[in-house]
Each structure stands twice: as structure tokens, then as C-alpha cells.
């Protein structure tokens, strides 16, 4: 099992390096010289040269990238913001928890509601509840997040005055943004849960359990849901990742000072170090979540565990075949 | 029974799919909605009562009435007409980026699945890098690099969604690659391109069509989100996301300005999802009666 963890952890490194390179390259080749954007057209050539030299911008591309990467790896230093002159790392660390909390709250809502509704729909396959839930799921995935957010603000904050309109000053402020994102993701988790449950309900072991006289409850939660978990975990994992990215939009709707709004502001002011830093941080968190999901798989699916803890080559091979 | 079999006309695959598709009223409804919306947006210059940039401040913020179905905005422009013109941009961005992304995605995924081994490894590792970023985030970064505008939005959405199509075809192609009829084609010395185009691709056509149908919807949403963030299509062009973005300041007093463009996106995307789901069911051979 440990071997599997280490292998997956190591396989993440080249991908993250490549992502950093990709983002660095994209920002490097973005048209427009940052020096003239920041200093203005009136700046003298000496000023521009000095400004560029202070930020490594006069060096060749690969040297710039090397320095950038080295600073991140050795000191966690993402450079200095062009606009504010402050350290990018501290800005990122200041904003990250907000986005993280928002993503977690979103996931909690989406998973609880999605799994519950999915089970409900699967147990009553073909009934009116199932049909209504399917329609709800369809509508849920079709609505743009920012529009849903604005509508919820309109109803629950402006008309009913139950919750604050925007900002980030306490637990009350998390509710609407989390529901906004949570609802859109509930739909996908619900659909996955439903179809995965339906696949499992048809299996022989469910018939066996029925024959043994197990109650519906035990069958649903112990026999079916347990086996249906893997696709559900995948869906839940991808929800967390997408929630991190979706936060970029949601934070904009609700004026939340998170990583997403930091990034959008950085884009509008062309503050490249800040854009790079926030994208890299989001990519790292996204990959970490995917890794966690993989570990969770191994935890729930004994077949994957067997593949890596098997002592003989034969057992390993069998495991591989099953996984494929 | 035998006689019945003899009397049944042989139908082509497309006829079969078409017949099965027609049995799903909700999917047909989805298709009809797309057809109607697309046609009315194409005919915007004929249907729309006003031009999309026809300003008249004397009639600003008119609530929806019989002259202005969806009201007017802060510059007195007719929201209904703007929605029709805006639909041209939104739908175009959706259709163009989904189809271009599908072409590249299918090419990458196809080559990876067909040649396997090293080629597969290289292509999939490169796509892994793109997939290490959530789609929306990737689109945001690309459009930040390319700058604002319709072209930028299309390219951003296209590049961000290519890996998804590649992944969707690679699996099925890997599976088909080892089947007897492909081996037979190799045996008669057919060229690689002929095997891919004539023997393999037709067999993975249905997942591709389904993916593209669903992909158009998500491309429209992504492009609208970009405009909402101020990165994609810019005013005065009435792209649906840009309309919502411009109207959010007035949401407290004139909520219809936000409601209608959002409804337009939601309805079109919903219709595409219904259509895609219906097509999936109709094309899946396991559904054959």
C-alpha cells in the first residue's frame, strides 16, 4: 500500500513541474511589455532597464524560468507583485484559506445532498420522484454558476433578507456562495450515485442478501452503497477540484476576497507574478485533491489494495487486469 | 415469425438511431428548442424589432411590456433584440469551439489509442499537464494571455476542452484497435490512415457525437463565464454572459436584465443536455430492442 502512495506522489512531481512551465511560458509570451504597462509610456529607458533587471526580466527565458522555479522550490517564494510590490506568497497564503473553506462547504453540501437524492432516486427508479429528481439534475447542470448566484442573492438576500448580499465577514456569508456552487455540483453527484447504485442493485450479492432476509436498509447502505462508492468518490473528488476553480467565478459574484478574485484582479491589472502564483497554487491544490481521491479509492476498493500489497507476481497481475 | 423477419425492411444504422431517438419525446423537445433558438438567432436581423445597439435613453429601464418583451436596459436598448443578436455570438462560440476542440481531441486521442506504446504515452502525458488544471481555470489563463474578444474566447474554450475529447475517444479506440476486423485490415495491407478513418473512426462516432452535443453546452457556459469575468466578449456585443455581467449592477431594481439572458443560457444548455442524453441512448447498441 505504501508503495502505491509513494508511486502516485512521485508521479505528481513531473506534472506539476510541467504545469508551472506551461503557465510561466504562457505569461512570458503574453503580448505587451510589463515594464511599460506598470511604469507607463513616459518612463525613461534607464528606468525601464532598471525595473526589468530588478525582476530578472532581462535574462534569457530558461534562466528566468529556472530562477522562478528554484525560488518556489527552495523558499516557497513566488516573487514580487508588479503592482503592489508586495510578496506574492504572503498574498496567496492570505487568500487561500477563504477559497479552501468555500470549496469544502460546497463539497459538503453537494456530497450530502447528491448522495442522499441519488439513493432516493435509485430506490424508486421510474417513479415520479425519480423523474423529478432527474429533471432537477438536468436543470442543475445547465445553469451557469454566476447566474444562479445572482438569482439566489436576489431572492434570499434582497427580497427575503435572510442572508447577506455579499462580502466575507462570518459564517453567514458562506451560506449563499456555498449553496450556489453546491447546487450545481449536487446534480452531477446525484446522477453518478443513482446510476452507480442501479448498477449494483442488479448484482447477485444483492439477491443473496435479499434471500437471507436482510432489511432494505441494510441492503441499501451495506451492500449496494458500499460497492457503488467508487464512482461516487470520483465524482466527489472532481467536484472539489472544480469547486476550487469555480470559486474564481463565485467569488466574483459574491465579492469574496479569495484566491479567485485575487487572480481575476491580477489579470485585469496584468500583474504576472500574481497570476502565475495563484494559478500554480490552484493547480497544486487541484492535483493534491486528485491524489487524495486516488488514495481514497485504494482505501475503499480492496482490488486496488491487493494489486500493490500482493506478495506474488501472479496476484499482482490479476489485480492489474481487474483494474483495467 | 420467420415471415415477419422477411417482411421487415432492412434499415441503415442512421435510420435505426433516428427511430429510437424519436421515441424519446424529451430528447426531441431538446432538439426542437435548439433548432428554434438557432434559427431565430440566425434570423435576428429579420425578427428583432430593434438593432442590438439601438440606444435611446428616454426609454431606459422600461419594464417588460408588449413593445419590449424583455424590457430595455440602462441605455434603452431592447433586451429581446439583444438576446437574439447575442445568441448568434454565444451559439457560434459554443458550436465552433466544441467542433474544433473535437477535431483536435479526436486526432490526439485517436493517434494515441491507435499507435499505443510510446506515442500514447507522450500524447497522454502532455494532455495530463493540461488536465492538471481545471478546465475553467485553463480557459481563464489562456484568455488572459490572448486578451479579450470573441476570437480569444473561442480559442481559450477550445484549448481548454481538447483533452476531454481526446480522453473520450482514446479508450474506445484502444479497445477496437485489437479487434479482428482491424487485424484483417492490417492483413490486406491497408494504410494506417485508411484503417483509422474507414475502420476505426466510424465505430467511435457515436460517443464523439454525444460528447460534442454536450460539449457545445459547456462551451457556451464557459464562454459566458469568461465574459462575466470581463475576459471574453466585450460590450457593446451582446453575448449572453456579457449581458449578465453588464446588468448585475442594476440587479436590485431591474432584475429582469439579469434574468432573461441567464434564462437563455440555461434553456439552451438544458436543451443540449437533453439532446445529448437522448442521442446517447439512441446510439448505444445495448439499447437495441
Amino acid at each position: 500500500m505504501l508503495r502505491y502512495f509513494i508511486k502516485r506522489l512521485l508521479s505528481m512531481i513531473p506534472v506539476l513541474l510541467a504545469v508551472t512551465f506551461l503557465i510561466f511560458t504562457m505569461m512570458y509570451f503574453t503580448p505587451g511589455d510589463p515594464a511599460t504597462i506598470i511604469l507607463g509610456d513616459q518612463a525613461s529607458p534607464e528606468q525601464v532597464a532598471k525595473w526589468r533587471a530588478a525582476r530578472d526580466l532581462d535574462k534569457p527565458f530558461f534562466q528566468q524560468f529556472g530562477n522562478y522555479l528554484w525560488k518556489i522550490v527552495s523558499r516557497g517564494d513566488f516573487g514580487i507583485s508588479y503592482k503592489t510590490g508586495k510578496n506574492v506568497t504572503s498574498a496567496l497564503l492570505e487568500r487561500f484559506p477563504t477559497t479552501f473553506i468555500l470549496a469544502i462547504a460546497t463539497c459538503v453540501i453537494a456530497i450530502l445532498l447528491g448522495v442522499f437524492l441519488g439513493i432516493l432516486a435509485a430506490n424508486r427508479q421510474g417513479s415520479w420522484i425519480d423523474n423529478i429528481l432527474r429533471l432537477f439534475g438536468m436543470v442543475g447542470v445547465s445553469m451557469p454558476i454566476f447566474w444562479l448566484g445572482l438569482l439566489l442573492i436576489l431572492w434570499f438576500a434582497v427580497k427575503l433578507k435572510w442572508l447577506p448580499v455579499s462580502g466575507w465577514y462570518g459564517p453567514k456569508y458562506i451560506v449563499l456562495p456555498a449553496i450556489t456552487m453546491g447546487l450545481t455540483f449536487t446534480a452531477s453527484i446525484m446522477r453518478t450515485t443513482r446510476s452507480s447504485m442501479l448498477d449494483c442493485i442488479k448484482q447477485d450479492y444483492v439477491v443473496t442478501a435479499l434471500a437471507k432476509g436482510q432489511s432494505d436498509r441494510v441492503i441499501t447502505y451495506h451492500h449496494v452503497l458500499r460497492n457503488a462508492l467508487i464512482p461516487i468518490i470520483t465524482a466527489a473528488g472532481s467536484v472539489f477540484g472544480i469547486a476550487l476553480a469555480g470559486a474564481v467565478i463565485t467569488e466574483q459574484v459574491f465579492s469574496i476576497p479569495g484566491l479567485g478574485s485575487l487572480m481575476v484582479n491580477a489579470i485585469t491589472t496584468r500583474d504576472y507574478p500574481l497570476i502565475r502564483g495563484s494559478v500554480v497554487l490552484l493547480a497544486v491544490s487541484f492535483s493534491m485533491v486528485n491524489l487524495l481521491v486516488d488514495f481514497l479509492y485504494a482505501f475503499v476498493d480492496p482490488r486496488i489494495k491487493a494489486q500493490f500489497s500482493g506478495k506474488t507476481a501472479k496476484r499482482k497481475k490479476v489485480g492489474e487486469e481487474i483494474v483495467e | 415469425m420467420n415471415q415477419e423477419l422477411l417482411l421487415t425492411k432492412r434499415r441503415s444504422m442512421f435510420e435505426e438511431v433516428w427511430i429510437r431517438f424519436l421515441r424519446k419525446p424529451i430528447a426531441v423537445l431538446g432538439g426542437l428548442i435548439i433548432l428554434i433558438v438557432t434559427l431565430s438567432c440566425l434570423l435576428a436581423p429579420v425578427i428583432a424589432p430593434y438593432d442590438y445597439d439601438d440606444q435611446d435613453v428616454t426609454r431606459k429601464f422600461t419594464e417588460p411590456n408588449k413593445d419590449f418583451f424583455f424590457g430595455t436596459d440602462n441605455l434603452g436598448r431592447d433586451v429581446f433584440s439583444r438576446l437574439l443578436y447575442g445568441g448568434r455570438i454565444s451559439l457560434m462560440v459554443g458550436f465552433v469551439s466544441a467542433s474544433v476542440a473535437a477535431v483536435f481531441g479526436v486526432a490526439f486521442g485517436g493517434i494515441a489509442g491507435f499507435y499505443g506504446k510510446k506515442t500514447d504515452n507522450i500524447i497522454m502525458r502532455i494532455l495530463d499537464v493540461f488536465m492538471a488544471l481545471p478546465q475553467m481555470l485553463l480557459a481563464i489563463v489562456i484568455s488572459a494571455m490572448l486578451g479579450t474578444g470573441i476570437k480569444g474566447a473561442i480559442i481559450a474554450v477550445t484549448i481548454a476542452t481538447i483533452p476531454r475529447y481526446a480522453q473520450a475517444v482514446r479508450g474506445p479506440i484502444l479497445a477496437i484497435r485489437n479487434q479482428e476486423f482491424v487485424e484483417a485490415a492490417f492483413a490486406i495491407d491497408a494504410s494506417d490512415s485508411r484503417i483509422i478513418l474507414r475502420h476505426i473512426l466510424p465505430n467511435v462516432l457515436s460517443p464523439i457525437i454525444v460528447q460534442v452535443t454536450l460539449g457545445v453546452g459547456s462551451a457556451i457556459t464557459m464562454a459566458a463565464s469568461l465574459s462575466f469575468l470581463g475576459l471574453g466578449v466585450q460590450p457593446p456585443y451582446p453575448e449572453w454572459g456579457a449581458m449578465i455581467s453588464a446588468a448585475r449592477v442594476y440587479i436590485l431594481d431591474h432584475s429582469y436584465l439579469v434574468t432573461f439572458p441567464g434564462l437563455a443560457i440555461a434553456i439552451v444548455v438544458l436543451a443540449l443536455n437533453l439532446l445529448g442524453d437522448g442521442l446517447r441512448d439512441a446510439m448505444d447498441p445495448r439499447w437495441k430492442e
Side-chain angles (χ1 to χ4, degrees), chain B residues 98-114 123 127 161-170 173 196-197 200-202 204-205 207-209 211-212:
Chain B
S99 17
V100 177
V103 169
F104 280 101
V106 169
F108 288 139
I111 292 170
F114 183 77
I123 293 183
L127 292 179
T161 46
I162 287 176
R164 187 172 64 180
Y165 293 101
Q167 253 194 340
V169 292
R170 178 179 165 266
I173 286 185
I196 295 179
L197 295 176
I200 294 184
L201 217 50
V204 288
L205 205 58
I208 296 175
I209 293 176
Q211 276 290 330
V212 174

Side-chain angles (χ1 to χ4, degrees), chain A residues 24 28 52 56-67:
Chain A
F24 188 88
Y28 183 86
R52 289 174 61 90
D56 263 1
L57 291 175
D58 51 349
K59 306 248 164 52
F61 171 73
F62 282 103
Q63 201 179 340
Q64 278 189 40
F65 177 66
N67 284 348

Side-chain angles (χ1 to χ4, degrees), chain A residues 165-182:
Chain A
V165 175
S166 62
W168 192 258
Y169 306 103
K172 255 181 154 180
Y173 290 82
I174 305 175
V175 182
L176 270 190
I179 289 181
T180 305
M181 285 206 284

Side-chain angles (χ1 to χ4, degrees), chain B residues 84-246:
Chain B
L84 287 176
Y85 280 100
R88 300 173 126 198
I89 302 176
S90 283
L91 290 173
M92 184 192 68
V93 173
F95 280 104
V96 171
S97 51
S99 17
V100 177
V103 169
F104 280 101
V106 169
F108 288 139
I111 292 170
F114 183 77
Y115 291 102
K117 290 179 198 143
K118 244 188 199 161
T119 323
D120 182 31
N121 225 326
I122 294 171
I123 293 183
M124 292 323 282
R125 289 300 82 76
I126 293 174
L127 292 179
D128 269 353
V129 176
F130 282 87
M131 279 187 288
L133 288 171
Q135 270 182 25
M136 191 60 225
L137 191 61
L138 188 56
I140 292 173
V141 178
I142 297 171
S143 98
M145 182 179 105
L146 296 172
T148 53
I150 298 176
K151 228 197 272 168
I154 293 180
I155 298 175
V157 174
T158 306
I159 297 179
T161 46
I162 287 176
R164 187 172 64 180
Y165 293 101
Q167 253 194 340
V169 292
R170 178 179 165 266
I173 286 185
L174 267 174
I176 289 169
R177 170 80 175 74
N178 295 320
Q179 290 193 6
E180 283 85 357
F181 65 90
V182 178
E183 216 180 308
F186 272 117
I188 57 166
D189 201 22
S191 65
D192 283 0
S193 58
R194 188 181 165 85
I195 296 176
I196 295 179
L197 295 176
R198 297 294 297 261
H199 297 274
I200 294 184
L201 217 50
N203 280 295
V204 288
L205 205 58
S206 41
I208 296 175
I209 293 176
V210 172
Q211 276 290 330
V212 174
T213 316
L214 300 174
V216 173
S218 60
I220 289 177
T221 316
M222 276 170 86
S225 307
L226 286 179
S227 317
F228 180 76
L229 293 177
L231 295 170
V233 182
Q234 300 292 306
Y237 290 113
E239 195 264 352
W240 292 340
M243 285 176 74
I244 300 179
S245 178

Side-chain angles (χ1 to χ4, degrees), chain A residues 15 18-19 26-27 30-31 138 141-142 144 146-147 150 154 158 191 245 248-249 252-253 263 267 279 282-283 286, chain B residues 129 131-134 137 140-142 144-145 225 228 231 244 248 251-252 255 258-259 262-263 265-266 269-270 273 277:
Chain A
V15 174
V19 169
M26 280 164 72
M27 292 297 125
T30 301
M138 278 285 193
V141 287
S142 306
F146 54 91
W147 184 60
L150 290 172
L154 195 64
V158 178
R191 286 174 76 172
V248 179
I249 298 161
Q252 212 64 16
V253 176
M263 191 181 95
I267 288 174
V279 181
L282 281 171
F286 186 59
Chain B
V129 176
M131 279 187 288
L133 288 171
L137 191 61
I140 292 173
V141 178
I142 297 171
M145 182 179 105
S225 307
F228 180 76
L231 295 170
I244 300 179
R248 61 183 287 210
I251 187 173
L252 293 187
S255 55
V258 169
T259 313
L263 214 51
I265 302 177
V269 177
L270 178 65
N273 285 341
D277 265 22

Side-chain angles (χ1 to χ4, degrees), chain A residues 192-201 205 220 223-233:
Chain A
T192 319
T193 309
R194 179 182 177 277
S195 62
S196 176
M197 290 278 288
L198 285 178
D199 282 344
C200 290
I201 282 174
Y205 53 76
T220 305
H223 296 265
V224 182
L225 187 61
R226 276 209 152 182
N227 283 291
L229 265 181
I230 292 197
I232 300 175
I233 291 178

Side-chain angles (χ1 to χ4, degrees), chain B residues 70-73 77-83 243 256-257 260:
Chain B
F70 295 161
T72 60
D73 65 5
R77 297 173 296 193
D78 179 37
V79 174
F80 177 65
S81 308
R82 285 177 65 73
L83 274 182
M243 285 176 74
Y256 62 89
L257 285 176
F260 290 118

